[in-house]
Amino acid sequence: MQLIFSPASPYARKVHACLVETGQKPDVEFISVKTAPSAVAAEARAANPTGRIPALVRSEGPAIYDSRVITRYLDARAKAGLYPESRLWEVLTLEATADGILDSALSVVYETRFRPPEHQSEDWITAQWDKVAHAVKAVNDRWMSHLAGPVDMGQIALGCALGYLDFRLDSRGWRKGNDALDDWFAVFSERECMRETAPHD
């Protein structure tokens, strides 16, 4: 298998972390690409018609894409139990919350990194960060008992989302008022799948 990815992409990090957690990293060749909203890498376009990463190229079938599709595939392939049937909807909801945090965080990053200053919208940035802040607070207030359970893909996705906030938007201070989640993240960040996949440009 080949993983089309970027080491700075939080969605690619989710897949990379899943590979580490399930012991499948040796089965994958990593193809690192540089991509941006207005400059799609040829390898990404060949694997995914939208040009987005990550994409997983398989020998037994067509390439698959969207991080949640890939992680479900890898979990099934390894029979790893990262999507346990007994709490599947909670895991999927937590993963969707983490991806929602990433969607809005990336909107902020794209607005400030890829648009000229005269075309940037402070109202848009504020609205997107407000979504991030509300989602982080909801996890802190409602999900800590779930985060204390056996590791699953929801936890890995959340770890990658919070790691991205530290990586690109640290000055916005997601930890303020979210002490329980901050404590959890400090411990979870030491997990091998998190240490080995730390983002970088």
Side-chain angles (χ1 to χ4, degrees), residues 41-178:
E43 298 93 337
R45 180 80 77 193
N48 177 352
T50 70
R52 292 186 175 95
I53 55 173
L56 186 70
V57 180
R58 307 174 298 159
S59 59
E60 74 275 19
I64 58 176
Y65 41 86
D66 185 276
S67 60
R68 279 182 277 188
V69 174
I70 299 172
T71 55
R72 287 295 294 267
Y73 169 80
L74 293 172
D75 181 63
R77 183 177 185 266
K79 298 179 174 60
L82 293 179
Y83 292 94
E85 194 65 34
S86 61
R87 48 195 173 90
L88 178 61
W89 304 116
E90 289 78 9
V91 172
L92 290 174
T93 300
L94 184 58
E95 185 178 12
T97 303
D99 282 2
I101 290 170
L102 286 179
D103 290 345
S104 292
L106 278 163
S107 290
V108 173
V109 171
Y110 286 172
E111 186 75 7
T112 55
R113 292 188 74 187
F114 297 110
R115 288 172 65 85
E118 64 271 20
H119 295 306
Q120 293 175 18
S121 169
E122 284 301 323
D123 288 344
W124 173 261
I125 292 170
T126 298
Q128 295 305 313
W129 182 254
D130 190 56
K131 293 176 183 180
V132 171
H134 275 82
V136 169
K137 183 64 174 171
V139 174
N140 183 83
D141 293 350
R142 305 174 197 166
W143 286 90
M144 296 314 301
S145 61
H146 179 89
L147 295 179
V151 68
D152 57 44
M153 201 59 222
Q155 294 176 23
I156 293 171
L158 182 63
C160 292
L162 298 177
Y164 187 75
L165 297 183
D166 283 350
F167 179 51
R168 292 293 194 213
L169 298 167
D170 185 49
S171 64
R172 290 185 173 270
W174 68 263
R175 290 173 171 81
K176 185 177 181 181
N178 297 303

